[in-house]
Amino acid sequence: MRPSGRAPDQMRAITMEAGFTRHAEGSCLVSFGETRVLCTASVETNLPPWLRGKGKGWVTAEYGMLPRATHTRGRREAASGKQSGRTQEIQRLIGRSLRAVVDLEALGERQITLDCDVIQADGGTRTASISGAWVALRLAVDGLIEKQLLAADPIRDKVAAVSCGIHDGTPVLDLDYVEDSSAGSDGNFVLTGRGQIVEAQVSAEGDVFDEEGLLRLLRLARIGCGEIFAAQDRATGR
Amino acid sequence: MRPSGRAPDQMRAITMEAGFTRHAEGSCLVSFGETRVLCTASVETNLPPWLRGKGKGWVTAEYGMLPRATHTRGRREAASGKQSGRTQEIQRLIGRSLRAVVDLEALGERQITLDCDVIQADGGTRTASISGAWVALRLAVDGLIEKQLLAADPIRDKVAAVSCGIHDGTPVLDLDYVEDSSAGSDGNFVLTGRGQIVEAQVSAEGDVFDEEGLLRLLRLARIGCGEIFAAQDRATGR
Amino acid sequence: MRPSGRAPDQMRAITMEAGFTRHAEGSCLVSFGETRVLCTASVETNLPPWLRGKGKGWVTAEYGMLPRATHTRGRREAASGKQSGRTQEIQRLIGRSLRAVVDLEALGERQITLDCDVIQADGGTRTASISGAWVALRLAVDGLIEKQLLAADPIRDKVAAVSCGIHDGTPVLDLDYVEDSSAGSDGNFVLTGRGQIVEAQVSAEGDVFDEEGLLRLLRLARIGCGEIFAAQDRATGR
Amino acid sequence: MRPSGRAPDQMRAITMEAGFTRHAEGSCLVSFGETRVLCTASVETNLPPWLRGKGKGWVTAEYGMLPRATHTRGRREAASGKQSGRTQEIQRLIGRSLRAVVDLEALGERQITLDCDVIQADGGTRTASISGAWVALRLAVDGLIEKQLLAADPIRDKVAAVSCGIHDGTPVLDLDYVEDSSAGSDGNFVLTGRGQIVEAQVSAEGDVFDEEGLLRLLRLARIGCGEIFAAQDRATGR
Amino acid sequence: MRPSGRAPDQMRAITMEAGFTRHAEGSCLVSFGETRVLCTASVETNLPPWLRGKGKGWVTAEYGMLPRATHTRGRREAASGKQSGRTQEIQRLIGRSLRAVVDLEALGERQITLDCDVIQADGGTRTASISGAWVALRLAVDGLIEKQLLAADPIRDKVAAVSCGIHDGTPVLDLDYVEDSSAGSDGNFVLTGRGQIVEAQVSAEGDVFDEEGLLRLLRLARIGCGEIFAAQDRATGR
Amino acid sequence: MRPSGRAPDQMRAITMEAGFTRHAEGSCLVSFGETRVLCTASVETNLPPWLRGKGKGWVTAEYGMLPRATHTRGRREAASGKQSGRTQEIQRLIGRSLRAVVDLEALGERQITLDCDVIQADGGTRTASISGAWVALRLAVDGLIEKQLLAADPIRDKVAAVSCGIHDGTPVLDLDYVEDSSAGSDGNFVLTGRGQIVEAQVSAEGDVFDEEGLLRLLRLARIGCGEIFAAQDRATGR
């Protein structure tokens, strides 16, 4: 029995509230159970210097956690003067995952920045961020299409992410904070709507694992991402 | 006629959603119209070194703005590596305002940190922060009282804040972003539930002003704070 | 009786030594009693990027305190790697106060930076800075006029600042360090030569206050600024 | 045909020069072809505060790249004032990988820091770092055992890492810089001497992939790590 | 003929105003011609951690330049967030020079910090700093002796510094800014009252030099330091 | 007898391995006994802004020390976020020393950066850096000449550096770490192949010194640099 009482292949409740804020070109408040992340997409025509004049765009991400999103208050990164290694690792992963489904040439000379800010944390903040950021991105691109600023849709597919881990010997899906803290190994999978893998990352946290474990986790991830894709469809009205 | 169409002494709609997040000892999502700020109160027994062993506590605040809370995306302070002068000025004001109504001896050797994070900005983020932070503080202290950790209630009074300014020659209450940008002078007033002044701060932004102007703005602030106090009572169930 | 032995409406001795340093386009060593601040005005034609090509100039300020200006040595901000919230708050106030009396269009595409460095501190460093910075600015602009670089005088009025506070129940003018440390509430007023208010800022430091208190402090500030304006006239030979 | 002319499952030449520097408790200059990394192990009894008095130790890592280790000179991180996200991601991976084979209780209240500094880069610097750091760690622990400072050997197994990727549709082992730049997807595998997985991480870089791809890469990694384990045995005289 | 019109072995006018500020335990405003530096000595009993409990003290220095001490405004180091290499090199030299004449055991467990802040710069700021800092140090130590806090005088000798350089083929003493900018090589000498060398540092700036040049510069330095020692005696009333 | 057992005028064994790394335009691993420094020269056509369009180039240097180059591990400067004063002082000295023998006009609009990274430290790292950096520079310029990118050789002479100090009353050459720690005074001399002085810098570390001491140290430095010049010739095949 996993601590959350869920079945091994059972996701937490997923909600995605599109348009949660009004200034961003796209926004989504995503919840995976008690984990809540506000994702916004900002469209700018001011590209980073190394990309200017190449006829293509860029998609990037930043990640942050409100100081009291967690059980005990963490130090505000703006006050400590630098982003932690964890923060940087996560925002690099989010950007990479979304770029995997975007045709940067079709996007034209634009940069879209996905800001993923964790309002409340209960495990899986990076996977919720990727999944919600896709909705914000989709809405922002829809806006560009509506304004006839794009000749073709640069988004090639959906993308979603979910964590999996081996808890007490059992592979389980979508770990919450308590499960994550006690998992022998855990990882994150990023999948496309067509079922292909964008990123697979599994780490031993105490217990090493083997091929079979890796494949079982991937199979769970497919189940979870299926549910997330459905939630994305509802949120974007598709 | 002010840009918002409101009467000169008319506040925007105020909502205060207590308990918006679950980990903090107290939390409140406050809205002044389209301005939305998440305020959390974190109770820690680990005092700053200069206050240890003096038999009293401390109340402090931090302020932040999500990068896309504003019309155009601002740089994330954690990424730029420092908090702006504006951020620091605001968080100092929030802390000072709340300490004005707290008996630090009665609080005992505890620090309460109020984190005010702007989810969406449309003028008045600092006054909404102060007003909402009081609710978060109240809830956190209620929790300490419930657990019988405090002999007496350290909160002596309510505190609320509102902006006022002279727009097109007319003193108006609770400026939104458009009004604030075009006001000749504007300021912020922090008042206690008993009607006393904790902080009065008015700056000329183009147009200088005089005694009468200052008093008229203060009178408007009293009207606005009256509404905020009522909202605080509703949010804290008093 | 106030600690300094002065009457409630009595300023400390004010001296303003114009031309204290020779490289700056304008300079002034201002003393309010034992508080001494060196103010210099630097004229540059290199505007900040956001102001270029708009046909107008900018006036800004920076503030610093020598490490041993105070009773006990403070950490050098250059060594700690960042300016404190207090420093930033003060330099923003100085810049805002001076811009209130400058016609930025008439200044042309120039930036004037006022550096206010506290040589010795005994309360009121920000008000001495504003008052002395005006002299440095006046001298720098006189130089531009002399060189026929300006068609019209961009300075519309004098500006001066003074602190006031309620000490032991008595409103008093121009607090020194000891008075400031024990005042129930205190504030700073920035006034123009014509008597209008540029900035009014009063904070409760323990004791809240009311309308009457606010007005009494403002009346004291008018007395103090009158003396400062006279000193400014003497220093600039008007 | 892969750019390097190697067979798909062919590693580059591996050399490990133990004792390359003399001050460190353990050191190893590891080469994977033209990639050369100096790994040193430093034993300190001064634990990080959060670990003191818990009867166990810690193993951590830092990673750096000499400015001209690469084809074009990169900015020195000490000069830019911060470590890049990539650097932090890599050093977290190295630390995690080594901790997976160390019994921290058996290590006692000691911290061992593995510094991995890239002298010359040609792809695979993080996998060479992990593989070489293990040798430095082994030597440092051997020294502690020799001095009878440890009751039991805290190292439970060997650990090695290698990169794999899909280049032009073909899964290949141990990518050099040219291969890495043009791979459709690539990843890193960290394996123990007993063949278990410590970390599996594969990212699509343009081309998404599937289960079969993931498994094929893992099979290549097993081949590569076998060779690395042999080199580790030779370097540590086992 | 040197640009300043001075004879090759002629110092600029030296003035040393002891007690320029009142909070510091010792202070001195030193002028070498138009170069003016405020030196203060702060006595603290709070030693740096690495020196505690060793029965001896420490003397250290910090150096700064007001932004408009120079012909064109320089960036404030507190605003740029770091001290330049030049600043750090100078403050290390000042500390080393003063420690050369202090018996740190006799000083007891105290730290004396010399802050040297350049009010106006016209060449030779580091040598004026060393020379003036000695006066501030002497006054601070006199105060400790007066209060019977020291059993013996820890200052063993005077110390002074002056710059010399080869200008247009002629060795000259005490270079001002114009001379310094056009010197073929220049250096700084730090001498004790008894004529011994604490520091000799000469750099080629375009023209290399030889033994004879080095000795001639040293001979000039002896002349200059003689005058500085006399000024130090006058300033400290010896 | 000096601690190393060497004669007073005896250098440690000098080795210079040209071409130690392959990406840099020039590289050299220099050893002075157990001190080992990797020097690389990087040629870039991207000049710093203040030098563009002036028809000349620039030579600059950066210096670093691997964390465990020393007896006990030092903090990584990239992790602490800033370069120490010592690091900055050394890299300024290296750059100045090399520019003394380079005709910057003849170099054309190019910047050559010498990176000197200490692999192992045993005293004299800055002098080994200068000596080895010259070899890297020479090789990089030879490459430019070979590619017919330079009309004339911009290197006018060799340059070498060595430390000297007074140990136990005896002037000795090329101090190792133990000797350096216990020397009464020590310094560094930078000389050209023709025997002229580029930099002479001697500091008292406990014991002051006099003219004779200074000259004796310089005479030792001539002996040491003679050996280094020979090693440079061998390394560059001259």
Side-chain angles (χ1 to χ4, degrees):
Chain A
M1 182 64 132
R2 54 195 290 195
S4 62
R6 282 184 278 145
D9 63 352
Q10 190 183 347
M11 287 287 291
R12 290 176 287 180
I14 303 169
T15 66
M16 288 180 165
E17 185 176 348
F20 186 76
T21 63
R22 59 163 37 194
H23 298 316
E25 282 71 33
S27 76
C28 174
L29 180 70
V30 57
S31 306
F32 279 21
E34 292 294 336
T35 289
R36 274 192 279 169
V37 184
L38 173 57
C39 308
T40 60
S42 298
V43 180
E44 290 164 306
T45 49
N46 187 20
L47 281 179
W50 53 272
L51 213 75
R52 284 179 201 149
K54 303 209 172 151
K56 58 185 218 173
W58 191 241
V59 172
T60 188
E62 294 194 4
Y63 170 93
M65 176 119 46
L66 295 193
R68 195 56 199 281
T70 41
H71 287 77
T72 57
R73 188 176 183 272
R75 188 151 185 224
R76 188 176 288 266
E77 290 190 330
S80 71
K82 63 177 187 173
Q83 295 180 299
S84 71
R86 180 185 171 276
T87 289
Q88 294 196 56
E89 195 168 317
I90 292 176
Q91 61 195 11
R92 283 157 56 89
L93 172 64
I94 302 170
R96 213 158 59 218
S97 298
L98 289 164
R99 283 194 299 275
V101 294
V102 174
D103 178 339
L104 297 174
E105 262 105 35
L107 181 58
E109 298 212 343
R110 284 177 186 87
Q111 173 161 287
I112 302 187
T113 303
L114 283 317
D115 284 293
C116 300
D117 285 276
V118 180
I119 304 292
Q120 191 168 279
D122 187 33
T125 63
R126 80 187 69 188
T127 52
S129 293
I130 293 168
S131 304
W134 184 85
V135 172
L137 175 68
R138 180 69 268 174
L139 295 172
V141 169
D142 285 351
L144 291 173
I145 292 172
E146 221 164 89
K147 289 183 196 149
Q148 303 194 304
L149 290 166
L150 288 173
D153 185 354
I155 302 183
R156 290 188 293 228
D157 201 348
K158 286 196 281 276
V159 75
V162 74
S163 73
C164 308
I166 300 178
H167 186 275
D168 235 335
T170 309
V172 295
L173 177 63
D174 186 29
L175 292 80
D176 63 24
Y177 176 76
V178 169
E179 292 169 342
D180 186 72
S181 308
S182 53
S185 57
D186 63 54
N188 300 288
F189 292 87
V190 184
L191 303 178
T192 66
R194 290 187 194 91
Q196 284 180 294
I197 308 172
V198 169
E199 183 107 13
Q201 193 269 331
V202 184
S203 301
E205 307 274 352
D207 295 343
V208 289
F209 54 99
D210 54 21
E211 266 90 342
E212 291 66 41
L214 184 60
L215 286 182
R216 269 197 301 254
L217 294 183
L218 176 52
R219 216 170 316 135
L220 284 173
R222 291 197 181 284
I223 295 171
C225 286
E227 291 192 34
I228 300 168
F229 291 132
Q232 289 176 337
D233 283 343
R234 287 191 301 273
T236 57
R238 261 137 224 264
Chain B
M1 183 64 133
R2 55 196 290 196
S4 62
R6 282 183 280 145
D9 62 354
Q10 190 183 347
M11 288 287 290
R12 291 177 284 181
I14 303 169
T15 65
M16 288 180 165
E17 185 176 348
F20 186 77
T21 62
R22 60 163 35 194
H23 298 315
E25 281 73 32
S27 76
C28 174
L29 179 70
V30 56
S31 306
F32 280 20
E34 292 294 336
T35 289
R36 276 192 280 168
V37 185
L38 174 57
C39 307
T40 60
S42 297
V43 180
E44 291 165 305
T45 50
N46 187 19
L47 281 179
W50 52 271
L51 213 75
R52 285 177 201 152
K54 302 208 170 151
K56 56 186 219 172
W58 191 241
V59 173
T60 187
E62 293 194 5
Y63 171 93
M65 175 120 45
L66 296 192
R68 195 54 198 280
T70 43
H71 287 77
T72 56
R73 188 175 183 274
R75 188 149 186 227
R76 189 177 286 267
E77 290 189 331
S80 69
K82 63 177 188 173
Q83 295 181 299
S84 72
R86 179 185 171 276
T87 290
Q88 293 196 56
E89 195 169 316
I90 292 176
Q91 62 194 13
R92 283 156 57 88
L93 172 65
I94 301 171
R96 213 158 59 219
S97 297
L98 289 165
R99 284 193 299 276
V101 294
V102 174
D103 178 340
L104 297 174
E105 262 105 36
L107 181 58
E109 298 212 343
R110 283 177 188 88
Q111 172 161 287
I112 302 187
T113 303
L114 283 316
D115 284 292
C116 299
D117 285 276
V118 180
I119 303 292
Q120 190 169 280
D122 187 33
T125 62
R126 81 186 68 188
T127 53
S129 293
I130 293 168
S131 305
W134 184 86
V135 172
L137 175 67
R138 181 68 270 174
L139 296 172
V141 169
D142 285 351
L144 292 172
I145 292 172
E146 224 163 88
K147 290 183 197 150
Q148 304 194 304
L149 292 166
L150 289 173
D153 185 354
I155 301 185
R156 290 188 295 228
D157 201 349
K158 286 195 281 277
V159 75
V162 73
S163 74
C164 307
I166 300 178
H167 186 275
D168 235 336
T170 309
V172 296
L173 176 63
D174 187 28
L175 292 80
D176 63 24
Y177 175 76
V178 170
E179 293 169 342
D180 186 71
S181 308
S182 54
S185 56
D186 63 54
N188 301 289
F189 292 86
V190 184
L191 303 178
T192 66
R194 291 186 194 91
Q196 285 180 294
I197 309 172
V198 168
E199 182 107 12
Q201 193 269 331
V202 185
S203 301
E205 306 274 352
D207 296 343
V208 289
F209 55 98
D210 53 22
E211 265 90 343
E212 290 67 40
L214 184 59
L215 287 182
R216 268 195 302 253
L217 295 183
L218 176 50
R219 216 168 316 135
L220 286 174
R222 291 198 181 284
I223 296 170
C225 286
E227 292 191 34
I228 301 167
F229 291 131
Q232 289 176 337
D233 282 344
R234 287 191 302 272
T236 57
R238 261 140 223 263
Chain C
M1 184 64 134
R2 59 196 286 197
S4 63
R6 283 184 278 144
D9 62 353
Q10 191 183 346
M11 288 287 291
R12 291 177 285 180
I14 303 168
T15 65
M16 287 179 166
E17 185 176 347
F20 186 77
T21 63
R22 61 162 36 195
H23 298 315
E25 282 71 33
S27 76
C28 175
L29 180 70
V30 57
S31 306
F32 280 21
E34 292 295 337
T35 289
R36 275 193 279 168
V37 184
L38 174 56
C39 307
T40 60
S42 297
V43 181
E44 290 165 305
T45 50
N46 187 19
L47 281 178
W50 52 272
L51 213 74
R52 284 179 202 152
K54 302 210 170 150
K56 57 186 218 171
W58 192 242
V59 173
T60 188
E62 293 194 6
Y63 170 94
M65 177 119 43
L66 296 192
R68 196 53 199 282
T70 42
H71 287 78
T72 56
R73 186 174 184 273
R75 187 149 186 226
R76 188 177 288 267
E77 290 189 332
S80 69
K82 63 176 187 173
Q83 296 181 298
S84 71
R86 180 186 172 276
T87 290
Q88 294 197 56
E89 195 169 318
I90 292 176
Q91 63 194 12
R92 283 157 56 90
L93 172 64
I94 301 171
R96 212 158 59 217
S97 298
L98 289 164
R99 284 195 297 276
V101 294
V102 173
D103 177 339
L104 296 173
E105 263 105 36
L107 181 58
E109 297 212 342
R110 283 177 188 88
Q111 172 161 288
I112 302 187
T113 303
L114 282 317
D115 283 292
C116 299
D117 284 276
V118 180
I119 303 292
Q120 191 169 277
D122 186 33
T125 63
R126 79 186 70 186
T127 54
S129 293
I130 293 168
S131 304
W134 184 86
V135 171
L137 175 67
R138 179 70 268 172
L139 295 172
V141 169
D142 285 352
L144 291 172
I145 292 172
E146 224 164 85
K147 289 184 196 151
Q148 305 194 302
L149 290 168
L150 288 173
D153 186 353
I155 301 183
R156 290 187 295 227
D157 202 347
K158 286 196 280 279
V159 75
V162 73
S163 74
C164 307
I166 300 177
H167 187 276
D168 236 336
T170 309
V172 295
L173 176 63
D174 187 29
L175 292 80
D176 63 24
Y177 176 76
V178 170
E179 292 168 341
D180 186 72
S181 308
S182 54
S185 58
D186 63 53
N188 300 288
F189 293 86
V190 184
L191 304 178
T192 66
R194 289 186 195 92
Q196 285 180 296
I197 310 171
V198 169
E199 182 106 13
Q201 192 270 329
V202 185
S203 300
E205 306 275 349
D207 296 342
V208 288
F209 55 98
D210 54 21
E211 266 89 343
E212 290 68 40
L214 183 60
L215 286 182
R216 268 195 302 254
L217 295 182
L218 176 51
R219 218 171 312 136
L220 285 174
R222 290 197 181 284
I223 294 171
C225 286
E227 291 192 36
I228 301 167
F229 291 131
Q232 288 177 337
D233 282 344
R234 286 191 302 274
T236 57
R238 261 137 223 265
Chain D
M1 183 66 134
R2 56 197 289 196
S4 63
R6 282 183 278 145
D9 62 353
Q10 189 183 348
M11 287 288 291
R12 291 176 285 180
I14 303 169
T15 65
M16 288 179 165
E17 185 176 347
F20 187 76
T21 63
R22 60 164 35 196
H23 299 315
E25 282 71 32
S27 76
C28 174
L29 180 70
V30 57
S31 304
F32 280 21
E34 292 295 336
T35 288
R36 275 192 279 167
V37 184
L38 174 56
C39 307
T40 60
S42 297
V43 180
E44 290 165 306
T45 51
N46 187 19
L47 280 179
W50 53 271
L51 212 73
R52 286 179 200 152
K54 303 208 171 153
K56 57 186 220 171
W58 192 241
V59 172
T60 188
E62 293 194 6
Y63 170 92
M65 175 116 49
L66 296 192
R68 195 56 198 280
T70 42
H71 287 79
T72 57
R73 186 174 185 274
R75 189 154 185 222
R76 188 177 287 267
E77 290 189 331
S80 71
K82 62 177 190 175
Q83 295 180 299
S84 71
R86 179 185 172 277
T87 291
Q88 294 196 56
E89 195 168 318
I90 293 175
Q91 62 195 11
R92 283 157 57 89
L93 172 64
I94 301 170
R96 212 158 58 218
S97 299
L98 289 164
R99 283 194 299 275
V101 294
V102 173
D103 177 340
L104 296 173
E105 262 106 35
L107 181 58
E109 298 212 343
R110 283 176 188 89
Q111 172 161 287
I112 302 188
T113 303
L114 283 316
D115 284 291
C116 299
D117 285 276
V118 180
I119 304 291
Q120 191 169 280
D122 186 33
T125 63
R126 80 187 68 188
T127 53
S129 294
I130 293 167
S131 305
W134 185 86
V135 172
L137 175 68
R138 180 70 269 171
L139 296 172
V141 169
D142 285 351
L144 292 172
I145 292 171
E146 224 164 88
K147 291 185 195 148
Q148 304 193 303
L149 291 166
L150 289 173
D153 184 355
I155 302 183
R156 291 187 294 227
D157 200 349
K158 286 197 281 279
V159 75
V162 73
S163 73
C164 307
I166 300 177
H167 187 275
D168 236 335
T170 309
V172 295
L173 175 63
D174 186 28
L175 292 80
D176 63 24
Y177 176 76
V178 169
E179 292 170 340
D180 185 72
S181 307
S182 54
S185 57
D186 63 53
N188 300 289
F189 293 86
V190 184
L191 303 179
T192 66
R194 289 186 197 92
Q196 285 180 296
I197 309 173
V198 169
E199 182 106 13
Q201 193 268 330
V202 184
S203 302
E205 307 274 351
D207 296 343
V208 289
F209 56 99
D210 54 21
E211 265 89 343
E212 290 69 39
L214 184 58
L215 287 182
R216 268 195 302 254
L217 294 182
L218 176 50
R219 217 171 312 135
L220 284 174
R222 292 199 181 283
I223 296 171
C225 286
E227 292 192 34
I228 301 168
F229 291 130
Q232 289 176 337
D233 283 344
R234 287 191 302 274
T236 57
R238 261 137 225 264
Chain E
M1 184 65 135
R2 58 196 286 197
S4 63
R6 282 184 279 146
D9 62 353
Q10 190 183 346
M11 288 287 292
R12 291 177 284 180
I14 303 169
T15 65
M16 288 180 164
E17 185 176 347
F20 186 77
T21 63
R22 60 164 34 195
H23 298 315
E25 281 72 33
S27 76
C28 175
L29 180 70
V30 57
S31 305
F32 280 19
E34 292 293 338
T35 288
R36 275 192 279 168
V37 184
L38 174 56
C39 307
T40 59
S42 297
V43 180
E44 291 165 306
T45 50
N46 187 19
L47 280 178
W50 52 272
L51 213 75
R52 285 179 201 151
K54 303 209 171 151
K56 57 185 219 171
W58 191 243
V59 173
T60 188
E62 293 194 5
Y63 171 92
M65 175 118 48
L66 296 192
R68 196 53 199 282
T70 42
H71 287 79
T72 56
R73 186 174 184 274
R75 190 153 182 220
R76 187 177 287 268
E77 289 190 331
S80 70
K82 64 176 186 174
Q83 296 180 298
S84 71
R86 180 185 170 275
T87 290
Q88 294 196 57
E89 196 170 315
I90 293 176
Q91 63 195 12
R92 282 156 57 89
L93 172 64
I94 301 170
R96 212 157 61 217
S97 298
L98 289 164
R99 283 193 299 275
V101 294
V102 173
D103 178 339
L104 296 174
E105 263 105 36
L107 181 59
E109 297 212 344
R110 285 177 185 87
Q111 172 161 286
I112 302 187
T113 303
L114 283 316
D115 284 292
C116 299
D117 284 277
V118 180
I119 304 291
Q120 191 169 278
D122 187 33
T125 63
R126 80 186 70 186
T127 54
S129 293
I130 293 168
S131 304
W134 184 85
V135 172
L137 175 67
R138 180 69 270 174
L139 295 172
V141 169
D142 285 351
L144 292 172
I145 292 173
E146 223 164 87
K147 289 184 195 149
Q148 304 193 303
L149 292 166
L150 289 173
D153 186 354
I155 302 184
R156 292 188 293 227
D157 201 348
K158 286 197 280 279
V159 76
V162 74
S163 74
C164 307
I166 300 178
H167 187 274
D168 235 336
T170 309
V172 296
L173 176 63
D174 186 27
L175 291 81
D176 63 24
Y177 176 75
V178 169
E179 293 169 341
D180 186 72
S181 307
S182 54
S185 57
D186 63 53
N188 300 288
F189 293 86
V190 184
L191 303 178
T192 65
R194 293 188 191 91
Q196 284 181 294
I197 309 172
V198 169
E199 182 106 13
Q201 192 270 330
V202 185
S203 300
E205 305 277 348
D207 296 342
V208 288
F209 55 98
D210 54 22
E211 266 88 343
E212 291 68 39
L214 184 59
L215 286 182
R216 270 197 300 255
L217 295 183
L218 176 50
R219 217 171 313 134
L220 284 173
R222 291 200 180 283
I223 295 172
C225 286
E227 292 192 33
I228 300 168
F229 291 131
Q232 289 177 336
D233 282 344
R234 286 192 302 273
T236 57
R238 262 138 223 261
Chain F
M1 184 63 134
R2 57 195 289 196
S4 62
R6 283 183 279 145
D9 62 353
Q10 190 183 347
M11 286 288 291
R12 291 177 284 181
I14 303 169
T15 65
M16 287 179 165
E17 184 175 349
F20 186 76
T21 63
R22 59 164 35 197
H23 299 315
E25 281 72 32
S27 75
C28 175
L29 180 70
V30 56
S31 306
F32 280 21
E34 291 294 338
T35 288
R36 275 192 279 168
V37 184
L38 173 57
C39 307
T40 60
S42 297
V43 180
E44 290 165 306
T45 51
N46 187 19
L47 281 178
W50 52 273
L51 213 74
R52 285 179 200 152
K54 302 208 172 153
K56 56 187 221 172
W58 191 240
V59 173
T60 187
E62 294 194 5
Y63 171 92
M65 175 118 48
L66 296 192
R68 196 56 199 281
T70 43
H71 288 77
T72 56
R73 188 175 183 273
R75 188 153 185 221
R76 188 177 287 269
E77 290 190 329
S80 70
K82 63 176 185 175
Q83 296 180 299
S84 71
R86 179 185 172 277
T87 290
Q88 295 196 54
E89 196 169 317
I90 293 176
Q91 63 195 11
R92 282 156 57 89
L93 172 65
I94 301 171
R96 214 158 58 218
S97 298
L98 289 165
R99 283 193 298 276
V101 294
V102 174
D103 177 341
L104 296 174
E105 262 104 34
L107 181 59
E109 297 212 342
R110 285 178 186 86
Q111 172 161 287
I112 303 187
T113 302
L114 283 316
D115 284 291
C116 299
D117 285 276
V118 180
I119 303 293
Q120 191 169 279
D122 187 33
T125 63
R126 81 187 70 187
T127 54
S129 293
I130 293 169
S131 305
W134 185 86
V135 172
L137 176 68
R138 179 70 270 173
L139 295 172
V141 169
D142 285 352
L144 292 172
I145 292 172
E146 223 164 87
K147 290 184 194 148
Q148 304 195 303
L149 291 167
L150 288 173
D153 185 354
I155 301 184
R156 290 187 295 227
D157 202 349
K158 287 197 279 278
V159 75
V162 75
S163 73
C164 308
I166 300 178
H167 187 275
D168 235 336
T170 308
V172 295
L173 177 63
D174 187 28
L175 293 79
D176 63 23
Y177 176 76
V178 170
E179 293 169 340
D180 186 71
S181 308
S182 54
S185 56
D186 63 53
N188 300 289
F189 292 86
V190 184
L191 303 179
T192 66
R194 293 188 192 91
Q196 285 181 293
I197 309 172
V198 169
E199 183 107 13
Q201 194 269 329
V202 184
S203 301
E205 305 276 349
D207 295 343
V208 289
F209 55 99
D210 53 21
E211 266 90 342
E212 289 69 40
L214 185 58
L215 286 182
R216 268 195 301 253
L217 295 183
L218 176 50
R219 216 170 314 135
L220 285 173
R222 290 199 182 284
I223 295 170
C225 286
E227 291 192 36
I228 301 168
F229 291 131
Q232 288 176 338
D233 282 344
R234 286 191 302 273
T236 57
R238 263 139 222 261

